[in-house]
Every structure is written in C-alpha cells, then in structure tokens.
Amino acid sequence: MKYQVCYYITGHGLGHATRCIKVIEYLISVGIQCDVVTNLNILSFIQKNLSVESQHKITLHGRVLDGGAVQTSPLTVDPIATLNNYIPIYEQHEILVQKEITFLIEKKIDIVLCDATPLACRAGHLAQCKVCVISNFTWDYIYTEILAAAIRDTPTDIEEVVLSQYRAVVQSCAEDYSYVDLYLQLPGENPVPSGIPAHRVIPMPLLARHANLSRREARKQLKILPSTNVLLLCFGGFQSHFHLCDHFLPKGWICLSLFSNPEDMPSERFISLPADTYVPDILEASDVVLGKLGYGLLSECLATAIPLLYIRRSYWPEEPHLVHYMRSQQGCISVEEHDFLHGKWELYLFRALLTSRGIRCRGADDDEEEKDVDDGHACDSQHQHVEGGTATDPDTDPDPEGRHTTTAALTTPAPPHCPAAASKLKSSNSSSSRRRRRGSCQRLDTSGRLMKDPTAPAAIIAHVIDLFKSNS
C-alpha cells in the first residue's frame, strides 16, 4: 500500500529541521509520498539540505502554525513575547484547524507526522488520519514553564485577564496533543503531555545527521593539518554583542565559525564557513564545539563523538533536559557567558580536549597518520561547570584548579590553512560517495537506546506504519 504522509515541522529552530530531514529522506527512499508544512525559513533550509533527487519527490507548503520562541539576545528567551507570539494562532485556532482538515482531506493524507506543531495533531485526527508526534518536547510543557517564569520574574504584576489568556494557550496546546495516536519520544525528553496515555509513548534512538566525510577527508578539504586543534563556533546573532579577537584562541588553534560574516573574522586563524555548510562534516574536522545546547547540535556532537562547550540560555525549559541527557552520555562543559564574551576560552578548550580522549569513538583510515582514537569506551565525565575561566566539577574533579593542565603540553604550532577552502565543504548530502567510516563504534545510552544509529529513521517509520496497519 502506498501511504500519503504530511509532516508538520515547527518553525522554532533548525534542530527540528535537521532531524526531520532524516525521516523525510527515509520516507522518500521507501517510496512514500510526503508533503511538508512549516514556515518559509525552515522550508528553505530543508530544500537546501535535501539531496537533489529528494527535492523533486516532496511537496513543500509554507504556513505559520506555531509561535516558536522569541529571544531578546542569542542566550535569552523573552517569556512574555514568546507567549504573545502564540496568541494570534490561539485566537484563530478553529479557523486554522479547519483549513488544515480541508488540506489533509484534499491531499488524501493517511498519516500526519508532527514535530511538534500542536494544532496539526487535532487537525490530523479530525481529518481521520493517524497522528504521530516525533519530538523530545511539546509546546504545552514549554509554555507552562515559561509562564511560571514570567509570573515569577516580571517586575510588575501581569493583569489577570492576560494571565487567563496565557493559561488558555497552554490548555489549548495540551488538548491538541491529546489527539495523538503515537508519541515517538526522542532523547533529551521533556515531560509527556497529560493527555497522551503512557502506552502511546515509545522511546526512540537519537535521530541525527551523520558525516559523509571522514575526519581526514574533512581536514584535507579545509587544508587543516592533523596536528592542529580546531574549534567549531556555532553561534549566530552575537555580532551586536561582541567582536571576536585573535587572542580568544590559544596558540596552535584555529576556529571555524558558522553563522558569521567573513568581515568579522579577526585574523586568518578564524574561518567563516558558508551558510550551506554541511555541519556533520565540519564536526568531523573539529576537536571541540562551542555553542548553544539545542537538540540539533547535541545530536550531531554525540553522533561524531565531539566534546561540547555550551553557554546556558535563560528561560528555555528544554535545556535542562538536554543537559541531563548529555551528562548521561559523553558529558558537556558549561561556559560562563562572561567568559565567553570576554574571550576567556583557553581553559575550557583544554578541559574539553582532555575529556575528548574518553569520548571519541572514531574509526581511523588505514593510512591516516594521526592516532587520536581511544580504546572505544565512553567517557565517564559528567557535566562540568566552570567558574572564573577554570573548568571544574567539584564532586569529581581531582584537579579543580587546573594546576596540571599546562598550555605547553597541549598546544602545537599554528599550521598554514586556507579560508577559501571552506567553500568546498558545502552540503555534502549531494555527494555520491556516502560511505561509512571503518571502525565506528555504537553505544547504548542509559535507556538502552542506540545513540549512533543510522537506522533510527527506519525504526520510526516502522512504528508509524504498524500503527496505521493495526487500526486500518
């Protein structure tokens, strides 16, 4: 039987889009027709990151059906503005639902997949489709926590009529999710909506994009020597807050920067990457990642066994759950915002290098010179907090002041490299040579779910099709 699938993807961030791309490509590979509904920014990203063959086999529809989060800075979510952003959708809820019902019926959709637009669940159910959420969080939980923070931290009291409307938004989202037939819950999970019974929730493996290039191939394209320490900076929107300086990097390091302007690079040790760079391949070339802790970056760091430095975000309820999951795997290191903005990166980078020896599970090419592969065991390091530029975990760190972390022992001379070479590492999805590295390791997370599992999309769709068959 040929199934017709419609995939609703929240416009909140690229992490949702990157994991949905994996599912979309698998749907296409097994001959399932797929429509995709999301906002225009996410549609553009999906279109650019799908293989050329896949682009011609899906239909994209640009619509705004959820509000996402509103940020006052790259690290601060505005609770009130975020809640207000959903109000127009809440006020037009019944109209929007009816339009989606009509759309789903006209397109003869059998299955609605959702990550994790609430009203799509109600519309799918009323259009007599099977509805499946594939996500690690739902918006009713996010809005509940954000509303509590707004009440707690807003300097002046929020008017009761406004509070009532915010509570109605939360309730509306929760009711929408109650129409779900199946919730395939990704790692880093937030609490399940109360309207979804436990028997409908199935824990799933990590859903992540994987590199198409080996570490050696990626570095060769970037003209980076094997001995060089490489930081990948995954931050956008900071240009108005601070300027990068060459002294932020220790000697022997270079920085590959995503979402940045080439004109803002302070020296040739900083390389601005093109907007269409395929991030997993860049991760393969890197030693440490510095960025915001979102699902997309977390999943791809775990898939490539790269240590992550992250800066905490204010008023974002998903983050503690992602931190908890990351702690259960390879660990992560929290960087103080002040230290990040003032370029006090050195000790964080060296601590990350030390932890990376335990978490890297890479395979090496037969003729590859650098041998930075450990014995294959996962690192037991926990989430580590850094005070005043020194990475510490007071409960487990035998050297909390970093006395034995010497710069001389961990740095190498800066090698020549070519910023222009970065343009070669663009969307490698279109590459015909998608080969898996030899010796790659697979590990189970604390829930027994396979972390680095290339079959995760197949497992997800198998559950969805079983659901459809069992109720047909």
Side-chain angles (χ1 to χ4, degrees), residues 215 219 226-232 253 282-289 305-307 352-353 356 360 362 370 372:
R215 178 175 174 83
R219 287 198 168 211
S227 59
T228 306
N229 293 322
V230 178
L231 169 67
L232 176 59
W253 285 76
I282 299 296
L283 283 166
E284 276 296 329
S286 304
D287 296 291
V288 180
V289 177
I306 297 295
L353 275 185
S356 72
R360 292 188 119 171
R362 314 175 170 280
E370 72 175 345
D372 61 351

PDB file of all heavy atoms in Angstrom, residues 215 219 226-232 253 282-289 305-307 352-353 356 360 362 370 372:
ATOM      1  N   ARG A 215      37.255  12.150   9.139  1.00  0.00           N
ATOM      2  CA  ARG A 215      37.999  13.260   9.738  1.00  0.00           C
ATOM      3  C   ARG A 215      39.133  13.698   8.801  1.00  0.00           C
ATOM      4  O   ARG A 215      39.343  14.897   8.582  1.00  0.00           O
ATOM      5  CB  ARG A 215      38.558  12.821  11.086  1.00  0.00           C
ATOM      6  CG  ARG A 215      39.408  13.861  11.806  1.00  0.00           C
ATOM      7  CD  ARG A 215      39.787  13.325  13.183  1.00  0.00           C
ATOM      8  NE  ARG A 215      40.714  14.175  13.884  1.00  0.00           N
ATOM      9  CZ  ARG A 215      40.388  15.256  14.586  1.00  0.00           C
ATOM     10  NH1 ARG A 215      39.120  15.618  14.650  1.00  0.00           N
ATOM     11  NH2 ARG A 215      41.294  15.972  15.220  1.00  0.00           N
ATOM     12  N   ARG A 219      39.366  17.430   6.940  1.00  0.00           N
ATOM     13  CA  ARG A 219      40.507  18.316   7.168  1.00  0.00           C
ATOM     14  C   ARG A 219      41.287  18.567   5.880  1.00  0.00           C
ATOM     15  O   ARG A 219      41.807  19.663   5.675  1.00  0.00           O
ATOM     16  CB  ARG A 219      41.416  17.720   8.244  1.00  0.00           C
ATOM     17  CG  ARG A 219      40.826  17.830   9.637  1.00  0.00           C
ATOM     18  CD  ARG A 219      41.864  17.659  10.712  1.00  0.00           C
ATOM     19  NE  ARG A 219      41.334  18.047  12.003  1.00  0.00           N
ATOM     20  CZ  ARG A 219      42.065  18.567  12.982  1.00  0.00           C
ATOM     21  NH1 ARG A 219      43.362  18.760  12.808  1.00  0.00           N
ATOM     22  NH2 ARG A 219      41.502  18.891  14.139  1.00  0.00           N
ATOM     23  N   PRO A 226      46.695  17.553  10.467  1.00  0.00           N
ATOM     24  CA  PRO A 226      46.191  16.651  11.515  1.00  0.00           C
ATOM     25  C   PRO A 226      46.535  17.104  12.920  1.00  0.00           C
ATOM     26  O   PRO A 226      45.781  16.835  13.855  1.00  0.00           O
ATOM     27  CB  PRO A 226      46.863  15.313  11.190  1.00  0.00           C
ATOM     28  CG  PRO A 226      47.164  15.383   9.735  1.00  0.00           C
ATOM     29  CD  PRO A 226      47.489  16.817   9.456  1.00  0.00           C
ATOM     30  N   SER A 227      47.667  17.800  13.092  1.00  0.00           N
ATOM     31  CA  SER A 227      48.115  18.182  14.436  1.00  0.00           C
ATOM     32  C   SER A 227      47.429  19.429  14.974  1.00  0.00           C
ATOM     33  O   SER A 227      47.593  19.774  16.144  1.00  0.00           O
ATOM     34  CB  SER A 227      49.625  18.417  14.434  1.00  0.00           C
ATOM     35  OG  SER A 227      49.962  19.437  13.500  1.00  0.00           O
ATOM     36  N   THR A 228      46.651  20.104  14.153  1.00  0.00           N
ATOM     37  CA  THR A 228      46.024  21.365  14.566  1.00  0.00           C
ATOM     38  C   THR A 228      44.805  21.126  15.444  1.00  0.00           C
ATOM     39  O   THR A 228      43.998  20.238  15.179  1.00  0.00           O
ATOM     40  CB  THR A 228      45.580  22.169  13.326  1.00  0.00           C
ATOM     41  OG1 THR A 228      46.682  22.332  12.445  1.00  0.00           O
ATOM     42  CG2 THR A 228      45.060  23.543  13.735  1.00  0.00           C
ATOM     43  N   ASN A 229      44.654  21.912  16.498  1.00  0.00           N
ATOM     44  CA  ASN A 229      43.450  21.888  17.314  1.00  0.00           C
ATOM     45  C   ASN A 229      42.413  22.812  16.671  1.00  0.00           C
ATOM     46  O   ASN A 229      42.709  23.974  16.378  1.00  0.00           O
ATOM     47  CB  ASN A 229      43.743  22.359  18.738  1.00  0.00           C
ATOM     48  CG  ASN A 229      44.634  21.379  19.470  1.00  0.00           C
ATOM     49  OD1 ASN A 229      44.513  20.177  19.315  1.00  0.00           O
ATOM     50  ND2 ASN A 229      45.561  21.897  20.269  1.00  0.00           N
ATOM     51  N   VAL A 230      41.201  22.298  16.487  1.00  0.00           N
ATOM     52  CA  VAL A 230      40.167  23.039  15.763  1.00  0.00           C
ATOM     53  C   VAL A 230      38.942  23.223  16.651  1.00  0.00           C
ATOM     54  O   VAL A 230      38.390  22.254  17.182  1.00  0.00           O
ATOM     55  CB  VAL A 230      39.762  22.315  14.463  1.00  0.00           C
ATOM     56  CG1 VAL A 230      38.640  23.079  13.752  1.00  0.00           C
ATOM     57  CG2 VAL A 230      40.963  22.165  13.542  1.00  0.00           C
ATOM     58  N   LEU A 231      38.515  24.463  16.794  1.00  0.00           N
ATOM     59  CA  LEU A 231      37.267  24.802  17.490  1.00  0.00           C
ATOM     60  C   LEU A 231      36.211  25.135  16.455  1.00  0.00           C
ATOM     61  O   LEU A 231      36.457  25.932  15.542  1.00  0.00           O
ATOM     62  CB  LEU A 231      37.474  26.006  18.403  1.00  0.00           C
ATOM     63  CG  LEU A 231      36.191  26.635  19.000  1.00  0.00           C
ATOM     64  CD1 LEU A 231      35.518  25.680  19.972  1.00  0.00           C
ATOM     65  CD2 LEU A 231      36.497  27.972  19.664  1.00  0.00           C
ATOM     66  N   LEU A 232      35.037  24.542  16.596  1.00  0.00           N
ATOM     67  CA  LEU A 232      33.892  24.926  15.780  1.00  0.00           C
ATOM     68  C   LEU A 232      32.990  25.819  16.615  1.00  0.00           C
ATOM     69  O   LEU A 232      32.471  25.401  17.655  1.00  0.00           O
ATOM     70  CB  LEU A 232      33.121  23.690  15.307  1.00  0.00           C
ATOM     71  CG  LEU A 232      31.838  23.973  14.505  1.00  0.00           C
ATOM     72  CD1 LEU A 232      32.138  24.774  13.250  1.00  0.00           C
ATOM     73  CD2 LEU A 232      31.116  22.677  14.156  1.00  0.00           C
ATOM     74  N   TRP A 253      45.647  26.771  17.761  1.00  0.00           N
ATOM     75  CA  TRP A 253      44.236  26.559  17.489  1.00  0.00           C
ATOM     76  C   TRP A 253      43.794  27.403  16.299  1.00  0.00           C
ATOM     77  O   TRP A 253      44.323  28.492  16.063  1.00  0.00           O
ATOM     78  CB  TRP A 253      43.371  26.945  18.683  1.00  0.00           C
ATOM     79  CG  TRP A 253      43.395  25.982  19.822  1.00  0.00           C
ATOM     80  CD1 TRP A 253      44.393  25.827  20.735  1.00  0.00           C
ATOM     81  CD2 TRP A 253      42.379  25.047  20.170  1.00  0.00           C
ATOM     82  NE1 TRP A 253      44.066  24.854  21.644  1.00  0.00           N
ATOM     83  CE2 TRP A 253      42.828  24.358  21.324  1.00  0.00           C
ATOM     84  CE3 TRP A 253      41.139  24.723  19.634  1.00  0.00           C
ATOM     85  CZ2 TRP A 253      42.073  23.366  21.936  1.00  0.00           C
ATOM     86  CZ3 TRP A 253      40.379  23.738  20.247  1.00  0.00           C
ATOM     87  CH2 TRP A 253      40.857  23.072  21.389  1.00  0.00           C
ATOM     88  N   ILE A 282      31.864  19.201   9.104  1.00  0.00           N
ATOM     89  CA  ILE A 282      32.727  20.143   9.822  1.00  0.00           C
ATOM     90  C   ILE A 282      33.031  19.618  11.223  1.00  0.00           C
ATOM     91  O   ILE A 282      34.138  19.781  11.741  1.00  0.00           O
ATOM     92  CB  ILE A 282      32.060  21.536   9.911  1.00  0.00           C
ATOM     93  CG1 ILE A 282      31.825  22.091   8.504  1.00  0.00           C
ATOM     94  CG2 ILE A 282      32.918  22.501  10.703  1.00  0.00           C
ATOM     95  CD1 ILE A 282      33.086  22.339   7.721  1.00  0.00           C
ATOM     96  N   LEU A 283      32.052  18.982  11.849  1.00  0.00           N
ATOM     97  CA  LEU A 283      32.286  18.377  13.158  1.00  0.00           C
ATOM     98  C   LEU A 283      33.388  17.322  13.077  1.00  0.00           C
ATOM     99  O   LEU A 283      34.204  17.190  13.989  1.00  0.00           O
ATOM    100  CB  LEU A 283      31.001  17.746  13.687  1.00  0.00           C
ATOM    101  CG  LEU A 283      29.960  18.718  14.246  1.00  0.00           C
ATOM    102  CD1 LEU A 283      28.620  18.021  14.422  1.00  0.00           C
ATOM    103  CD2 LEU A 283      30.413  19.290  15.570  1.00  0.00           C
ATOM    104  N   GLU A 284      33.414  16.574  11.989  1.00  0.00           N
ATOM    105  CA  GLU A 284      34.457  15.572  11.822  1.00  0.00           C
ATOM    106  C   GLU A 284      35.845  16.208  11.813  1.00  0.00           C
ATOM    107  O   GLU A 284      36.818  15.606  12.262  1.00  0.00           O
ATOM    108  CB  GLU A 284      34.245  14.788  10.526  1.00  0.00           C
ATOM    109  CG  GLU A 284      33.273  13.643  10.644  1.00  0.00           C
ATOM    110  CD  GLU A 284      33.760  12.565  11.602  1.00  0.00           C
ATOM    111  OE1 GLU A 284      34.970  12.364  11.718  1.00  0.00           O
ATOM    112  OE2 GLU A 284      32.912  11.949  12.241  1.00  0.00           O
ATOM    113  N   ALA A 285      35.938  17.417  11.285  1.00  0.00           N
ATOM    114  CA  ALA A 285      37.234  18.096  11.199  1.00  0.00           C
ATOM    115  C   ALA A 285      37.613  18.780  12.508  1.00  0.00           C
ATOM    116  O   ALA A 285      38.743  19.243  12.656  1.00  0.00           O
ATOM    117  CB  ALA A 285      37.206  19.133  10.074  1.00  0.00           C
ATOM    118  N   SER A 286      36.687  18.844  13.462  1.00  0.00           N
ATOM    119  CA  SER A 286      36.877  19.648  14.669  1.00  0.00           C
ATOM    120  C   SER A 286      37.284  18.789  15.862  1.00  0.00           C
ATOM    121  O   SER A 286      37.111  17.574  15.877  1.00  0.00           O
ATOM    122  CB  SER A 286      35.580  20.403  14.997  1.00  0.00           C
ATOM    123  OG  SER A 286      35.163  21.195  13.900  1.00  0.00           O
ATOM    124  N   ASP A 287      37.814  19.476  16.881  1.00  0.00           N
ATOM    125  CA  ASP A 287      38.175  18.826  18.144  1.00  0.00           C
ATOM    126  C   ASP A 287      37.225  19.197  19.270  1.00  0.00           C
ATOM    127  O   ASP A 287      36.987  18.415  20.182  1.00  0.00           O
ATOM    128  CB  ASP A 287      39.596  19.213  18.547  1.00  0.00           C
ATOM    129  CG  ASP A 287      40.621  18.712  17.552  1.00  0.00           C
ATOM    130  OD1 ASP A 287      40.819  17.491  17.483  1.00  0.00           O
ATOM    131  OD2 ASP A 287      41.207  19.532  16.829  1.00  0.00           O
ATOM    132  N   VAL A 288      36.687  20.417  19.222  1.00  0.00           N
ATOM    133  CA  VAL A 288      35.800  20.929  20.266  1.00  0.00           C
ATOM    134  C   VAL A 288      34.741  21.798  19.599  1.00  0.00           C
ATOM    135  O   VAL A 288      35.010  22.470  18.595  1.00  0.00           O
ATOM    136  CB  VAL A 288      36.570  21.778  21.306  1.00  0.00           C
ATOM    137  CG1 VAL A 288      35.620  22.302  22.389  1.00  0.00           C
ATOM    138  CG2 VAL A 288      37.696  20.971  21.936  1.00  0.00           C
ATOM    139  N   VAL A 289      33.526  21.779  20.151  1.00  0.00           N
ATOM    140  CA  VAL A 289      32.441  22.627  19.661  1.00  0.00           C
ATOM    141  C   VAL A 289      32.027  23.581  20.772  1.00  0.00           C
ATOM    142  O   VAL A 289      31.928  23.183  21.937  1.00  0.00           O
ATOM    143  CB  VAL A 289      31.219  21.787  19.226  1.00  0.00           C
ATOM    144  CG1 VAL A 289      30.078  22.685  18.783  1.00  0.00           C
ATOM    145  CG2 VAL A 289      31.605  20.838  18.106  1.00  0.00           C
ATOM    146  N   ALA A 305      30.977  12.093  18.242  1.00  0.00           N
ATOM    147  CA  ALA A 305      31.817  11.985  19.438  1.00  0.00           C
ATOM    148  C   ALA A 305      32.740  13.178  19.611  1.00  0.00           C
ATOM    149  O   ALA A 305      33.939  13.048  19.850  1.00  0.00           O
ATOM    150  CB  ALA A 305      32.626  10.690  19.406  1.00  0.00           C
ATOM    151  N   ILE A 306      32.168  14.388  19.509  1.00  0.00           N
ATOM    152  CA  ILE A 306      32.923  15.632  19.690  1.00  0.00           C
ATOM    153  C   ILE A 306      32.503  16.276  21.001  1.00  0.00           C
ATOM    154  O   ILE A 306      31.308  16.414  21.277  1.00  0.00           O
ATOM    155  CB  ILE A 306      32.649  16.605  18.521  1.00  0.00           C
ATOM    156  CG1 ILE A 306      33.133  16.012  17.208  1.00  0.00           C
ATOM    157  CG2 ILE A 306      33.323  17.949  18.764  1.00  0.00           C
ATOM    158  CD1 ILE A 306      34.620  15.824  17.112  1.00  0.00           C
ATOM    159  N   PRO A 307      33.443  16.693  21.862  1.00  0.00           N
ATOM    160  CA  PRO A 307      33.075  17.346  23.125  1.00  0.00           C
ATOM    161  C   PRO A 307      32.419  18.704  22.894  1.00  0.00           C
ATOM    162  O   PRO A 307      32.799  19.441  21.980  1.00  0.00           O
ATOM    163  CB  PRO A 307      34.417  17.491  23.854  1.00  0.00           C
ATOM    164  CG  PRO A 307      35.454  17.450  22.783  1.00  0.00           C
ATOM    165  CD  PRO A 307      34.905  16.552  21.713  1.00  0.00           C
ATOM    166  N   ALA A 352      38.115  20.481  27.536  1.00  0.00           N
ATOM    167  CA  ALA A 352      37.370  19.717  26.531  1.00  0.00           C
ATOM    168  C   ALA A 352      38.286  18.739  25.800  1.00  0.00           C
ATOM    169  O   ALA A 352      37.894  17.604  25.506  1.00  0.00           O
ATOM    170  CB  ALA A 352      36.708  20.668  25.540  1.00  0.00           C
ATOM    171  N   LEU A 353      39.512  19.162  25.505  1.00  0.00           N
ATOM    172  CA  LEU A 353      40.464  18.255  24.857  1.00  0.00           C
ATOM    173  C   LEU A 353      40.755  17.045  25.740  1.00  0.00           C
ATOM    174  O   LEU A 353      40.841  15.916  25.265  1.00  0.00           O
ATOM    175  CB  LEU A 353      41.774  18.988  24.558  1.00  0.00           C
ATOM    176  CG  LEU A 353      41.863  19.793  23.262  1.00  0.00           C
ATOM    177  CD1 LEU A 353      43.270  20.342  23.093  1.00  0.00           C
ATOM    178  CD2 LEU A 353      41.483  18.965  22.048  1.00  0.00           C
ATOM    179  N   SER A 356      37.883  14.721  25.703  1.00  0.00           N
ATOM    180  CA  SER A 356      37.624  14.132  24.390  1.00  0.00           C
ATOM    181  C   SER A 356      38.337  12.806  24.209  1.00  0.00           C
ATOM    182  O   SER A 356      37.905  11.959  23.430  1.00  0.00           O
ATOM    183  CB  SER A 356      38.055  15.090  23.273  1.00  0.00           C
ATOM    184  OG  SER A 356      39.467  15.174  23.179  1.00  0.00           O
ATOM    185  N   ARG A 360      35.804   9.878  22.291  1.00  0.00           N
ATOM    186  CA  ARG A 360      35.896   9.714  20.852  1.00  0.00           C
ATOM    187  C   ARG A 360      35.879   8.240  20.476  1.00  0.00           C
ATOM    188  O   ARG A 360      36.600   7.440  21.028  1.00  0.00           O
ATOM    189  CB  ARG A 360      37.153  10.379  20.324  1.00  0.00           C
ATOM    190  CG  ARG A 360      37.058  11.876  20.447  1.00  0.00           C
ATOM    191  CD  ARG A 360      38.206  12.494  19.761  1.00  0.00           C
ATOM    192  NE  ARG A 360      37.699  13.322  18.696  1.00  0.00           N
ATOM    193  CZ  ARG A 360      38.460  14.140  17.997  1.00  0.00           C
ATOM    194  NH1 ARG A 360      39.727  14.213  18.239  1.00  0.00           N
ATOM    195  NH2 ARG A 360      37.947  14.859  17.052  1.00  0.00           N
ATOM    196  N   ARG A 362      35.977   7.263  17.070  1.00  0.00           N
ATOM    197  CA  ARG A 362      36.137   7.323  15.623  1.00  0.00           C
ATOM    198  C   ARG A 362      36.886   6.111  15.098  1.00  0.00           C
ATOM    199  O   ARG A 362      37.747   5.566  15.757  1.00  0.00           O
ATOM    200  CB  ARG A 362      36.953   8.538  15.209  1.00  0.00           C
ATOM    201  CG  ARG A 362      36.580   9.802  15.853  1.00  0.00           C
ATOM    202  CD  ARG A 362      37.571  10.843  15.411  1.00  0.00           C
ATOM    203  NE  ARG A 362      37.083  12.122  15.844  1.00  0.00           N
ATOM    204  CZ  ARG A 362      36.155  12.793  15.212  1.00  0.00           C
ATOM    205  NH1 ARG A 362      35.650  12.318  14.118  1.00  0.00           N
ATOM    206  NH2 ARG A 362      35.732  13.945  15.654  1.00  0.00           N
ATOM    207  N   GLU A 370      47.320  10.523  11.997  1.00  0.00           N
ATOM    208  CA  GLU A 370      47.032  10.859  13.383  1.00  0.00           C
ATOM    209  C   GLU A 370      46.251   9.737  14.035  1.00  0.00           C
ATOM    210  O   GLU A 370      45.347   9.161  13.462  1.00  0.00           O
ATOM    211  CB  GLU A 370      46.288  12.192  13.497  1.00  0.00           C
ATOM    212  CG  GLU A 370      44.872  12.165  13.040  1.00  0.00           C
ATOM    213  CD  GLU A 370      44.184  13.480  13.299  1.00  0.00           C
ATOM    214  OE1 GLU A 370      44.718  14.297  14.063  1.00  0.00           O
ATOM    215  OE2 GLU A 370      43.101  13.677  12.763  1.00  0.00           O
ATOM    216  N   ASP A 372      44.245   9.497  17.163  1.00  0.00           N
ATOM    217  CA  ASP A 372      43.633  10.109  18.343  1.00  0.00           C
ATOM    218  C   ASP A 372      42.435   9.311  18.802  1.00  0.00           C
ATOM    219  O   ASP A 372      41.531   9.815  19.432  1.00  0.00           O
ATOM    220  CB  ASP A 372      43.215  11.555  18.046  1.00  0.00           C
ATOM    221  CG  ASP A 372      42.203  11.642  16.932  1.00  0.00           C
ATOM    222  OD1 ASP A 372      41.960  10.592  16.290  1.00  0.00           O
ATOM    223  OD2 ASP A 372      41.676  12.738  16.699  1.00  0.00           O
TER     224      ASP A 372
END
